[in-house]
Amino acid sequence: TLIHGDYCLPNIILDNWKFSGFIDVDYCGVGDKHIDIYWAVWSLAYNLGTDKYRNRFFDAYGRENFDPEMLRVIAAFEVFG
């Protein structure tokens, strides 16, 4: 899967609240989509100061399109490298 590699709110461009593009694609490449999902959810909590958008993000992404257990594995890998 092609991933952004630094998928977070500051790297998403919106135009009238609609997705328009990405910036900062230095870490873009082939990887596991769960890496971007993990960092998106982390960024929502960090940048907005709440976890209340986590489930909304999962619903919009499609809960059938990712493995919640894999997010825990990615979290450990990304945080403790």
Side-chain angles (χ1 to χ4, degrees), residues 41-53:
V41 172
W42 180 90
S43 179
L44 284 169
Y46 179 80
N47 288 284
L48 301 178
T50 181
D51 277 332
K52 75 180 193 175
Y53 298 104

Side-chain angles (χ1 to χ4, degrees), residues 34 38-39 69-81:
H34 292 86
Y38 167 77
W39 284 112
E69 182 58 32
M70 187 60 150
L71 289 181
R72 288 188 270 285
V73 171
I74 295 297
F77 179 76
E78 290 291 305
V79 173
F80 299 111

